[in-house]
Amino acid sequence: MNLPHLHTLEADQLRSPIWVYDVVGQRMVWANTAALHLWESETLDELCQRDFAEGQSRAVEQTLHGYLERFSEEKQIDVWWEISPKGIKKRVFIRLSGVWITTDDGSQRLAMLLEGQYSPELLNAGDIPSAAMAVLFDQQGVLISSNPPFQEHFGADLKELQAILPQETGLRHIQSMGSLGQDIELNTLQGMRWHHAEVTIQQVLNQHDNPHSPYYVLTLIDIQERKLREIETANEARSDLLTGLLNRRGLLQYMASHEGCDYTLFYIDLDGFKPINDSYGHNAGDELLRHLAHVLMHQDGKKVCARLGGDEFVVVFLEALSDADIQTRANNLLHDLSRKVSVANDCLVRVSASIGIASSPSDSSDIYQLIVQADAAMYEAKKQGRHRSVVYQMGMESYMLRRTQILQYMDSAIANNQFEVHYQPIINGRTGDTILMEALIRWHHPTLGALPPLEFIGVAEDSGKIARLESWVIRRVCQDLADIRQRFSDDVRITINISGAHLVQPDFVAELLLLLEAYQCKPQDFVLELTESVLVPVVEDNNTCLDELVAHGFQLAIDDFGTGYSSLAYISQLPAQFVKIDKAFVDRLHQDQNTLLFIRDLCHKFNMQCIAEGVEQVEQVEQAGILNDSDILLQQGYYFARPQPLSELENDSEEFTIRCQAGL
């Protein structure tokens, strides 16, 4: 028998076993030297004389005929197969393809070309699939034949196809589809295990069978280890590795089957997480996030929880909730998430949460849209003061869109100096002398127009860009300082607002000093303004950055005093030199002077100077006189000057002096 398409000499030189098997004739046609060793044969003649039909199950025979059909389509097959040369069981990885052979009568037919890989070391390497299991069933699904690997795997008692395959992949499914090829978990002697199952409908090539009766050839490969890895990988792709909750992809996949159902989505963003992460380190931050994930998972009700990234979470309650139920769930979340938590070697920390709420199907039946709506409601909660919940209302997305636009433009605006610093004097109400000059950032975007500072500063704080933004302000102020002093006096100091997120960064003081040094400025040239809501947590956490700043020569001012914590227990612990009394107290001077006088006495008790904010209207001139009479001499407001760019800033101290002395 000739092999016109096989280069015998080259194949015989290969170390891999290669042989040709005539499926129709059920005998070996050719083998190289390595294949002879594999088949425990000393000569090719002896191997070719063996009767492979003896002991070969009909299931294997029919499986091999099915392979020939694939070879005719120029396909190749990779499979682990069990052979038993001279009774010695061997499991071999084989690549099968077709090769044309010429028979003794001169005709040609398709045979199998096999290239194998076999060694005990390969089998001991682990993660080796089982040998292919071949099973033949008649048209009623009754077992006709199976090979030994199948019997070892499933036992010898199985007699029907339906006893192996689940009902949804049984005879009716195969008959309607014409074949089967999928991964299925099957019940074996070792328990439930994953297999790749292929079923083909064939005509059995045997003279004793009716050629018109279909037979089913089932091939099974045990893929348990590979499938478990795939499942684990898929779970990792759907899960947040830190908390074990679903990630965004996992949430979307899970909720895809709930479209149109009743459920309520709570979008949660933590308030104050970034300062904790920056102050105590990422390990402490991770520990806190894991704890909060545990809190979410233990909320009452049927639910699914996800971490979308950073400090943003979602809880979906998979049931219809009344308005009262929604408020109760929101209150429970706000309460449970704001409890103090011990992290980083027993350091007590606490965050709060802002929560946005949207419901399906009343707000939307689309999970993507619902997340956008709840996210928009969450930012509305932040606008209203944080640590609260807001239910979505139509139109809130426009606010989210604007925030997104501001965030997209911010980096380029910093890099291209699109921001400006305006300055507003703080004067002595009696003499009109400018004592301090507050630096205030402004942004007039080419597309968005003039943006309110509270709006873009809030975006910078929430996105973690506030440190970069404030560093830009400090750099610009350092550049302007000499010009300002030339216009006013050498004693004028600049006040700069510092956010809490920037202040608590571990390298804040060091980077601030380096920045000043680069422009040959001194800490004594500046007053750093910090709100009570920033200062008090720093004191609570025993953060030494305030003392470091004062030790280097910076002065501190408590901004908006009376609107934050207003705790008398803390004011004595704050190393501040100035207290800026909020505008609301100045506005009520004609109704209530006692509160302002109390603040004055308290500040003087701790050697702090008062600065009255909001002296703005002509009608407040009389009130300004009250301030002067009360020894609250440092005053700021539109009455004296509006914030202006440096190019428009003029020394109006003479005009201030005339106004102050005339009481105008």
Side-chain angles (χ1 to χ4, degrees):
M1 189 170 291
N2 298 322
L3 306 173
H5 299 295
L6 189 65
H7 297 287
T8 306
L9 180 60
E10 294 181 8
D12 199 49
Q13 292 174 340
L14 295 176
R15 299 180 63 182
S16 298
I18 300 176
W19 65 99
V20 175
Y21 180 73
D22 180 12
V23 176
V24 176
Q26 293 184 301
R27 64 191 183 96
M28 204 73 76
V29 175
W30 177 86
N32 69 356
T33 302
L36 293 178
H37 293 312
L38 175 67
W39 285 97
E40 302 292 331
S41 178
E42 295 183 0
T43 66
L44 178 60
D45 288 340
E46 186 275 330
L47 182 62
C48 292
Q49 293 300 318
R50 290 185 188 179
D51 184 3
F52 284 90
E54 183 181 355
Q56 185 181 88
S57 66
R58 291 184 63 188
V60 171
E61 178 186 355
Q62 198 64 29
T63 299
L64 298 182
H65 279 286
Y67 287 168
L68 286 183
E69 294 182 13
R70 299 194 196 182
F71 299 153
S72 65
E73 300 172 0
E74 297 186 354
K75 294 181 180 179
Q76 66 178 26
I77 299 169
D78 290 338
V79 64
W80 283 89
W81 202 265
E82 186 175 283
I83 62 175
S84 301
K86 296 185 177 179
I88 302 173
K89 286 187 177 182
K90 297 181 180 182
R91 192 141 48 98
V92 187
F93 177 77
I94 304 175
R95 173 160 290 176
L96 304 94
S97 58
V99 62
W100 288 94
I101 61 175
T102 302
T103 63
D104 294 338
D105 62 5
S107 63
Q108 289 191 340
R109 64 174 174 241
L110 196 61
M112 285 200 313
L113 173 65
L114 305 95
E115 180 180 357
Q117 292 184 21
Y118 170 76
S119 72
E121 292 79 11
L122 180 64
L123 293 174
N124 293 332
D127 198 22
I128 299 299
S130 66
M133 292 166 266
V135 197
L136 182 65
F137 298 88
D138 67 14
Q139 59 182 327
Q140 305 301 323
V142 177
L143 188 147
I144 298 174
S145 172
S146 62
N147 68 345
F150 174 83
Q151 297 166 17
E152 293 171 5
H153 208 63
F154 288 90
D157 297 332
L158 286 178
K159 300 300 182 183
E160 294 183 353
L161 177 65
Q162 201 59 58
I164 303 171
L165 299 180
Q167 184 175 357
E168 62 271 16
T169 57
L171 278 177
R172 289 186 179 179
H173 175 81
I174 296 170
Q175 289 167 352
S176 63
M177 300 299 294
S179 64
L180 172 71
Q182 66 185 69
D183 295 345
I184 307 175
E185 196 172 17
L186 302 177
N187 189 15
T188 73
L189 296 178
Q190 294 81 36
M192 297 299 294
R193 294 182 66 84
W194 282 95
H195 296 73
H196 181 71
E198 291 189 4
V199 178
T200 57
I201 303 176
Q202 299 179 16
Q203 300 293 331
V204 174
L205 302 178
N206 188 302
Q207 59 182 352
H208 302 295
D209 293 305
N210 183 347
H212 300 291
S213 300
Y215 282 76
Y216 301 94
V217 179
L218 168 64
T219 303
L220 294 173
I221 304 293
D222 187 313
I223 57 169
Q224 177 76 357
E225 285 72 23
R226 174 174 67 80
K227 193 66 177 181
L228 292 180
R229 283 200 309 273
E230 289 178 2
I231 294 172
E232 182 179 0
T233 301
N235 287 337
E236 288 178 356
R238 293 191 297 266
S239 301
D240 173 55
L241 296 180
L242 176 64
T243 63
L245 304 181
L246 293 177
N247 57 19
R248 182 182 292 272
R249 175 188 294 178
L251 177 66
L252 294 175
Q253 291 179 352
Y254 183 90
M255 296 305 299
S257 61
H258 290 72
E259 185 173 353
C261 298
D262 289 329
Y263 62 86
T264 301
L265 188 148
F266 291 69
Y267 196 111
I268 302 165
D269 185 87
L270 302 179
D271 305 322
F273 172 74
K274 190 174 187 304
I276 292 173
N277 205 41
D278 292 339
S279 299
Y280 297 103
H282 292 292
N283 288 337
D286 290 349
E287 187 178 349
L288 177 59
L289 291 175
R290 284 192 292 267
H291 169 80
L292 297 178
H294 179 79
V295 169
L296 297 181
M297 287 296 296
H298 284 77
Q299 296 296 300
D300 292 335
K302 184 181 179 182
K303 65 195 172 298
V304 60
C305 302
R307 179 185 176 217
L308 301 190
D311 57 352
E312 295 183 337
F313 295 85
V314 161
V315 178
V316 182
F317 289 98
L318 302 169
E319 54 189 316
L321 298 178
S322 66
D323 292 344
D325 291 335
I326 290 174
Q327 194 58 55
T328 298
R329 302 287 173 92
N331 291 340
N332 290 341
L333 285 167
L334 291 170
H335 176 268
D336 294 346
L337 291 172
S338 64
R339 291 175 176 172
K340 283 193 173 183
V341 180
S342 176
V343 298
N345 299 321
D346 298 328
C347 293
L348 287 176
V349 298
R350 177 167 52 199
V351 294
S352 62
S354 297
I355 302 177
I357 304 168
S359 298
S360 170
S362 57
D363 293 317
S364 176
S365 59
D366 180 80
I367 182 62
Y368 294 89
Q369 181 63 23
L370 211 66
I371 290 175
V372 171
Q373 293 169 340
D375 191 14
M378 181 273 293
Y379 274 105
E380 181 63 28
K382 285 188 176 292
K383 281 176 60 180
Q384 294 181 14
R386 305 177 186 243
H387 187 48
R388 65 194 65 218
S389 63
V390 169
V391 176
Y392 168 77
Q393 294 181 4
M394 188 178 298
M396 286 183 176
E397 299 96 327
S398 60
Y399 172 69
M400 280 293 300
L401 175 61
R402 183 172 172 85
R403 284 182 61 89
T404 302
Q405 290 175 327
I406 291 172
L407 187 59
Q408 289 175 340
Y409 291 133
M410 187 167 290
D411 285 334
S412 61
I414 295 174
N416 298 323
N417 292 313
Q418 287 183 355
F419 292 97
E420 290 184 290
V421 175
H422 289 195
Y423 296 94
Q424 185 178 33
I426 299 173
I427 62 97
N428 183 307
R430 285 182 183 166
T431 66
D433 294 333
T434 298
I435 308 301
L436 301 166
M437 191 75 71
E438 182 174 6
L440 299 163
I441 189 169
R442 297 291 185 264
W443 186 10
H444 192 287
H445 190 269
T447 303
L448 301 178
L451 296 166
L454 288 179
E455 183 178 27
F456 69 78
I457 289 173
V459 173
E461 288 180 332
D462 293 338
S463 64
K465 297 181 185 295
I466 190 64
R468 189 177 175 206
L469 187 62
E470 289 181 347
S471 294
W472 182 92
V473 173
I474 295 168
R475 188 177 297 108
R476 179 50 58 89
V477 168
C478 288
Q479 295 171 349
D480 293 344
L481 181 61
D483 195 353
I484 292 172
R485 286 185 165 173
Q486 185 176 4
R487 295 172 186 236
F488 291 86
S489 75
D490 292 338
D491 297 327
V492 172
R493 283 167 290 171
I494 310 299
T495 72
I496 302 174
N497 293 278
I498 301 296
S499 72
H502 193 187
L503 178 70
V504 298
Q505 291 189 0
D507 53 0
F508 170 73
V509 177
E511 289 192 355
L512 180 58
L513 292 172
L514 285 174
L515 210 162
L516 266 58
E517 183 181 358
Y519 292 94
Q520 298 182 335
C521 295
K522 303 186 297 295
Q524 290 78 5
D525 298 329
F526 301 96
V527 177
L528 305 182
E529 293 193 27
L530 305 117
T531 63
E532 288 177 86
S533 58
V534 168
L535 288 166
V536 172
V538 171
V539 173
E540 282 186 327
D541 294 336
N542 297 316
N543 194 318
T544 61
C545 65
L546 299 179
D547 293 326
E548 288 183 52
L549 290 168
V550 173
H552 283 291
F554 291 100
Q555 291 190 316
L556 306 180
I558 305 173
D559 195 14
D560 299 331
F561 184 81
T563 62
Y565 285 77
S566 299
S567 173
L568 301 182
Y570 290 110
I571 190 169
S572 63
Q573 302 177 48
L574 299 175
Q577 289 73 41
F578 298 95
V579 172
K580 300 189 77 173
I581 303 173
D582 189 71
K583 177 181 181 295
F585 296 100
V586 176
D587 289 343
R588 295 198 304 268
L589 265 178
H590 64 287
Q591 297 174 334
D592 175 22
Q593 298 179 23
N594 292 328
T595 302
L596 187 137
L597 295 176
F598 171 77
I599 295 174
R600 176 205 64 186
D601 293 341
L602 182 66
C603 293
H604 287 178
K605 180 70 174 177
F606 295 110
N607 297 316
M608 300 178 186
Q609 296 185 64
C610 293
I611 301 174
E613 295 184 291
V615 183
E616 297 183 347
Q617 307 298 331
V618 174
E619 291 79 7
Q620 292 177 314
V621 172
E622 181 181 350
Q623 299 169 18
I626 297 173
L627 295 173
N628 292 338
D629 293 341
S630 303
D631 287 335
I632 303 178
L633 301 181
L634 297 182
Q635 299 162 23
Q636 179 181 12
Y638 290 176
Y639 175 69
F640 304 106
R642 290 177 175 271
Q644 302 173 75
L646 179 60
S647 60
E648 300 175 17
L649 193 64
E650 298 295 340
N651 188 348
D652 295 325
S653 59
E654 183 175 346
E655 180 182 348
F656 296 158
T657 302
I658 295 173
R659 285 186 180 185
C660 294
Q661 291 176 347
L664 299 176

